Amino acid sequence: MSVDHAHWARYLQAAVDDRREVTGIGAQLGAEMSLDDAYLVQDALLAARLFHGESLAGAKLGLTSKAKQQQMGVDEPGYGWVSRSSVVPGPDAEVVISELIHPRVEPEFVFVMGDDLEGDDCTADDVLDRTALVVGGIEVIDSRFEAFKFTLPDVIADNTSAARVVVGTAGIAPRDVDLREVTCTFTVDGEVTGTATGEALLGSPAECVALLVRHLARSGRGLKAGWVVPAGAPLDARPFGVGTVATASYSHFGDVTVRGV
Ligand code: 0L1
Ligand code: MG
């Protein structure tokens, strides 16, 4: 099956620009896209955004916890890009809901890179060596697909539903604590949705970032010093609308709060 990557990138960008849900790509092709094709659609989407003046502030992982994989019915992580305009400084932030389609919020462990990092043999130790800080965050995801229903290739083409990411400031050096033991409690409108530790991210947040680096190495790319790298949500995502207040409280990174306005 031949996939027109630029066409599907325009299709997804139009959904972002018009703030409307669209039908899954695989459903329209009549067959599931390959993951390679999905990443090529994602690349075409990124290239168009860079052409129109966007810049990169990082890269991300999604679907790295069982909670997220079960919520979305997939069994592998996905990788995407963090654009500069999507980064919202925390720890207390507001996000304009009318700019989005049907957003959800989820807590994130965010790596702030101290040095460039690339290589198909990257390990969790390499990640810890090149990371300046790990901070708490909240990602606002906004699948462009109807009712957040998608296949893994669809969501990868859609840059893993990335929309906004609130990045906290109270971080710690990555070797000052075992990141697997950092706890996160997520509260939405006063209700605790759950508590999890970093271990929920495929056993190790640093190993998640190493997976991302090895993925980027397949196309000769890597992480850059100063980039932010959300490693994934240890808990499932919750609806986020006007008036919603979500707080992620981390044992070692303090609180990060986002309000929908
Ligand atoms: O960051 C994420 O885990 C999002 C991945 C895509 C799945 C979703 O939209 O929930
Ligand atoms: Mg996420």
Side-chain angles (χ1 to χ4, degrees):
M1 175 181 43
S2 150
V3 175
D4 183 343
H5 307 115
H7 166 79
W8 293 111
R10 285 193 298 275
Y11 174 79
L12 289 167
Q13 186 60 47
V16 173
D17 294 342
D18 300 345
R19 287 155 201 144
R20 64 181 161 81
E21 302 178 321
V22 292
T23 305
I25 297 172
Q28 294 183 67
L29 292 172
E32 195 160 293
M33 265 188 302
S34 70
L35 288 181
D36 285 346
D37 276 319
Y39 279 111
L40 289 170
V41 175
Q42 186 192 93
D43 279 351
L45 192 57
L46 174 67
R49 288 177 181 169
L50 296 178
F51 179 79
H52 286 102
E54 183 58 272
S55 58
L56 274 180
K60 64 163 278 193
L61 293 109
L63 305 164
T64 49
S65 65
K66 283 286 166 240
K68 282 286 304 185
Q69 291 183 0
Q70 279 166 5
Q71 182 180 31
M72 305 321 300
V74 301
D75 54 11
E76 294 182 47
Y79 313 97
W81 299 103
V82 176
S83 58
R84 195 155 299 285
S85 66
S86 76
V87 177
V88 184
D92 285 296
E94 292 183 343
V95 164
V96 179
I97 300 297
S98 62
E99 294 175 358
L100 302 169
I101 304 167
H102 46 197
R104 294 179 177 179
V105 275
E106 59 188 25
E108 293 277 339
F109 284 59
V110 182
F111 287 68
V112 181
M113 302 310 297
D115 294 296
D116 293 359
L117 179 56
E118 58 188 47
D120 60 9
D121 55 355
C122 178
T123 65
D125 263 341
D126 297 329
V127 171
L128 296 176
D129 288 343
R130 305 292 175 89
T131 299
L133 281 178
V134 185
V135 301
I138 296 180
E139 185 176 23
V140 180
I141 52 174
D142 195 29
S143 173
R144 270 49 72 170
F145 298 115
E146 287 156 354
F148 270 81
K149 293 275 181 266
F150 42 68
T151 61
L152 185 63
D154 279 344
V155 70
I156 283 168
D158 187 26
N159 197 31
T160 60
S161 306
R164 304 283 186 272
V165 60
V166 179
V167 180
T169 48
I172 51 171
R175 291 194 190 275
D176 282 359
V177 64
D178 184 338
L179 294 169
R180 294 169 296 194
E181 293 174 4
V182 172
T183 64
C184 167
T185 298
F186 199 41
T187 305
V188 180
D189 287 337
E191 181 207 340
V192 173
T193 74
T195 297
T197 63
E199 194 171 11
L201 302 180
L202 297 177
S204 153
E207 178 55 35
C208 290
V209 178
L211 279 175
L212 167 65
V213 173
R214 297 199 295 267
H215 161 78
L216 293 175
R218 294 174 57 209
S219 52
R221 294 178 283 192
L223 301 178
K224 302 289 183 202
W227 275 14
V228 292
V229 181
L235 294 161
D236 58 357
R238 296 298 166 125
F240 184 54
V242 174
T244 304
V245 179
T247 298
S249 303
Y250 298 89
S251 54
H252 296 72
F253 315 142
D255 287 2
V256 177
T257 294
V258 64
R259 288 173 189 74
V261 294

